[in-house]
Short mmCIF file of all heavy atoms in Angstrom, two decimals:
data_model
loop_
_atom_site.label_atom_id
_atom_site.label_comp_id
_atom_site.label_asym_id
_atom_site.label_seq_id
_atom_site.Cartn_x
_atom_site.Cartn_y
_atom_site.Cartn_z
N ALA A 2 122.15 68.94 54.72
CA ALA A 2 121.48 68.21 55.81
C ALA A 2 122.44 67.91 56.95
O ALA A 2 122.08 68.02 58.13
CB ALA A 2 120.89 66.91 55.26
N LEU A 3 123.67 67.55 56.62
CA LEU A 3 124.64 67.18 57.66
C LEU A 3 125.13 68.39 58.45
O LEU A 3 125.36 68.29 59.66
CB LEU A 3 125.84 66.46 57.02
CG LEU A 3 125.58 65.04 56.50
CD1 LEU A 3 126.79 64.55 55.72
CD2 LEU A 3 125.24 64.08 57.63
N LEU A 4 125.30 69.52 57.77
CA LEU A 4 125.86 70.70 58.43
C LEU A 4 124.76 71.45 59.18
O LEU A 4 124.39 72.57 58.87
CB LEU A 4 126.53 71.61 57.39
CG LEU A 4 127.74 70.98 56.70
CD1 LEU A 4 128.19 71.84 55.53
CD2 LEU A 4 128.88 70.76 57.68
N CYS A 5 124.25 70.78 60.21
CA CYS A 5 123.10 71.31 60.94
C CYS A 5 123.44 71.41 62.44
O CYS A 5 124.45 70.88 62.90
CB CYS A 5 121.88 70.40 60.75
SG CYS A 5 122.11 68.74 61.44
N GLN A 6 122.57 72.06 63.18
CA GLN A 6 122.81 72.26 64.62
C GLN A 6 122.95 70.93 65.36
O GLN A 6 123.70 70.84 66.34
CB GLN A 6 121.67 73.09 65.24
CG GLN A 6 121.67 74.54 64.81
CD GLN A 6 123.01 75.22 65.08
OE1 GLN A 6 123.60 75.05 66.14
NE2 GLN A 6 123.50 75.99 64.12
N GLU A 7 122.24 69.91 64.91
CA GLU A 7 122.32 68.60 65.58
C GLU A 7 123.74 68.05 65.53
O GLU A 7 124.25 67.52 66.52
CB GLU A 7 121.33 67.63 64.92
CG GLU A 7 121.28 66.26 65.56
CD GLU A 7 120.61 66.23 66.93
OE1 GLU A 7 120.17 67.30 67.44
OE2 GLU A 7 120.52 65.14 67.52
N MET A 8 124.40 68.16 64.37
CA MET A 8 125.78 67.67 64.28
C MET A 8 126.72 68.52 65.14
O MET A 8 127.58 67.99 65.84
CB MET A 8 126.29 67.66 62.84
CG MET A 8 127.69 67.04 62.75
SD MET A 8 128.35 66.89 61.09
CE MET A 8 128.74 68.60 60.73
N PHE A 9 126.54 69.83 65.10
CA PHE A 9 127.41 70.71 65.89
C PHE A 9 127.22 70.46 67.39
O PHE A 9 128.15 70.59 68.19
CB PHE A 9 127.14 72.17 65.55
CG PHE A 9 127.25 72.48 64.07
CD1 PHE A 9 126.40 73.39 63.47
CD2 PHE A 9 128.21 71.85 63.27
CE1 PHE A 9 126.50 73.68 62.12
CE2 PHE A 9 128.31 72.13 61.91
CZ PHE A 9 127.45 73.05 61.34
N ARG A 10 125.99 70.07 67.77
CA ARG A 10 125.71 69.77 69.18
C ARG A 10 126.34 68.44 69.59
O ARG A 10 126.94 68.31 70.65
CB ARG A 10 124.20 69.71 69.39
CG ARG A 10 123.77 69.45 70.83
CD ARG A 10 122.26 69.32 70.95
NE ARG A 10 121.73 68.11 70.35
CZ ARG A 10 121.80 66.90 70.91
NH1 ARG A 10 122.38 66.72 72.09
NH2 ARG A 10 121.28 65.86 70.29
N LEU A 11 126.21 67.43 68.71
CA LEU A 11 126.73 66.10 69.03
C LEU A 11 128.25 66.04 69.01
O LEU A 11 128.86 65.26 69.73
CB LEU A 11 126.17 65.07 68.02
CG LEU A 11 124.69 64.73 68.16
CD1 LEU A 11 124.21 63.94 66.94
CD2 LEU A 11 124.43 63.94 69.44
N ASP A 12 128.87 66.87 68.17
CA ASP A 12 130.33 66.88 68.08
C ASP A 12 130.84 68.32 68.10
O ASP A 12 131.01 68.95 67.06
CB ASP A 12 130.80 66.17 66.80
CG ASP A 12 132.32 66.00 66.77
OD1 ASP A 12 133.00 66.60 67.63
OD2 ASP A 12 132.82 65.26 65.90
N PRO A 13 131.09 68.85 69.30
CA PRO A 13 131.52 70.25 69.43
C PRO A 13 132.89 70.53 68.81
O PRO A 13 133.27 71.70 68.67
CB PRO A 13 131.56 70.47 70.95
CG PRO A 13 130.77 69.35 71.54
CD PRO A 13 130.91 68.20 70.60
N SER A 14 133.62 69.48 68.42
CA SER A 14 134.93 69.71 67.79
C SER A 14 134.80 70.16 66.34
O SER A 14 135.77 70.62 65.73
CB SER A 14 135.78 68.43 67.86
OG SER A 14 135.29 67.46 66.97
N VAL A 15 133.60 70.01 65.76
CA VAL A 15 133.37 70.43 64.38
C VAL A 15 132.98 71.91 64.38
O VAL A 15 132.07 72.31 65.10
CB VAL A 15 132.24 69.60 63.74
CG1 VAL A 15 131.88 70.13 62.35
CG2 VAL A 15 132.65 68.14 63.66
N PRO A 16 133.67 72.76 63.58
CA PRO A 16 133.30 74.18 63.52
C PRO A 16 131.84 74.35 63.10
O PRO A 16 131.42 73.75 62.10
CB PRO A 16 134.24 74.75 62.45
CG PRO A 16 135.38 73.79 62.39
CD PRO A 16 134.81 72.44 62.72
N PRO A 17 131.04 75.11 63.85
CA PRO A 17 129.59 75.22 63.57
C PRO A 17 129.30 76.17 62.39
O PRO A 17 128.68 77.21 62.55
CB PRO A 17 129.02 75.75 64.88
CG PRO A 17 130.15 76.54 65.47
CD PRO A 17 131.42 75.85 65.06
N ILE A 18 129.75 75.78 61.21
CA ILE A 18 129.56 76.61 60.01
C ILE A 18 128.52 75.93 59.13
O ILE A 18 128.77 74.85 58.58
CB ILE A 18 130.88 76.76 59.23
CG1 ILE A 18 131.98 77.28 60.14
CG2 ILE A 18 130.69 77.67 58.02
CD1 ILE A 18 133.37 77.17 59.55
N PRO A 19 127.34 76.53 58.99
CA PRO A 19 126.29 75.89 58.17
C PRO A 19 126.62 75.90 56.69
O PRO A 19 127.57 76.55 56.24
CB PRO A 19 125.04 76.72 58.47
CG PRO A 19 125.57 78.04 58.94
CD PRO A 19 126.89 77.78 59.59
N PHE A 20 125.84 75.18 55.93
CA PHE A 20 126.00 75.09 54.47
C PHE A 20 125.74 76.46 53.85
O PHE A 20 124.80 77.15 54.23
CB PHE A 20 125.00 74.07 53.92
CG PHE A 20 125.14 73.79 52.46
CD1 PHE A 20 126.09 72.90 52.00
CD2 PHE A 20 124.30 74.42 51.54
CE1 PHE A 20 126.20 72.63 50.64
CE2 PHE A 20 124.41 74.15 50.19
CZ PHE A 20 125.36 73.25 49.74
N ASN A 21 126.58 76.85 52.89
CA ASN A 21 126.43 78.15 52.23
C ASN A 21 126.10 77.93 50.76
O ASN A 21 126.97 77.58 49.96
CB ASN A 21 127.73 78.95 52.39
CG ASN A 21 127.58 80.38 51.88
OD1 ASN A 21 126.77 80.67 51.01
ND2 ASN A 21 128.38 81.28 52.43
N GLU A 22 124.85 78.14 50.41
CA GLU A 22 124.39 77.93 49.03
C GLU A 22 125.11 78.85 48.04
O GLU A 22 125.40 78.46 46.91
CB GLU A 22 122.88 78.19 48.95
CG GLU A 22 122.21 77.66 47.71
CD GLU A 22 122.00 76.15 47.73
OE1 GLU A 22 121.57 75.62 48.77
OE2 GLU A 22 122.30 75.52 46.71
N GLU A 23 125.46 80.05 48.49
CA GLU A 23 126.12 81.00 47.59
C GLU A 23 127.50 80.51 47.16
O GLU A 23 127.91 80.70 46.02
CB GLU A 23 126.24 82.38 48.27
CG GLU A 23 124.92 83.12 48.35
CD GLU A 23 125.08 84.46 49.06
OE1 GLU A 23 126.20 85.00 49.08
OE2 GLU A 23 124.06 84.95 49.59
N VAL A 24 128.21 79.88 48.09
CA VAL A 24 129.52 79.35 47.76
C VAL A 24 129.39 78.25 46.71
O VAL A 24 130.17 78.18 45.75
CB VAL A 24 130.24 78.81 49.02
CG1 VAL A 24 131.51 78.04 48.65
CG2 VAL A 24 130.57 79.96 49.96
N ARG A 25 128.39 77.41 46.87
CA ARG A 25 128.19 76.31 45.90
C ARG A 25 127.89 76.85 44.51
O ARG A 25 128.35 76.32 43.50
CB ARG A 25 127.04 75.41 46.36
CG ARG A 25 126.77 74.27 45.38
CD ARG A 25 125.80 73.29 45.96
NE ARG A 25 124.43 73.59 45.68
CZ ARG A 25 123.78 73.16 44.59
NH1 ARG A 25 124.42 72.45 43.67
NH2 ARG A 25 122.51 73.45 44.42
N LEU A 26 127.09 77.91 44.46
CA LEU A 26 126.64 78.42 43.16
C LEU A 26 127.59 79.45 42.57
O LEU A 26 127.39 79.90 41.45
CB LEU A 26 125.24 79.01 43.31
CG LEU A 26 124.15 78.04 43.76
CD1 LEU A 26 122.84 78.75 43.99
CD2 LEU A 26 123.96 76.93 42.73
N ARG A 27 128.59 79.85 43.32
CA ARG A 27 129.52 80.87 42.84
C ARG A 27 130.20 80.40 41.56
O ARG A 27 130.70 79.28 41.48
CB ARG A 27 130.57 81.15 43.91
CG ARG A 27 131.40 82.42 43.63
CD ARG A 27 132.37 82.65 44.78
NE ARG A 27 131.66 82.98 46.01
CZ ARG A 27 132.17 82.83 47.22
NH1 ARG A 27 133.37 82.30 47.35
NH2 ARG A 27 131.49 83.18 48.28
#
């Protein structure tokens, strides 16, 4: 929920990398 376009828009200093379900389940 946090790693969304709204956060990347509000704080451009955060790298705009969305959540990756595959990494979690690896």
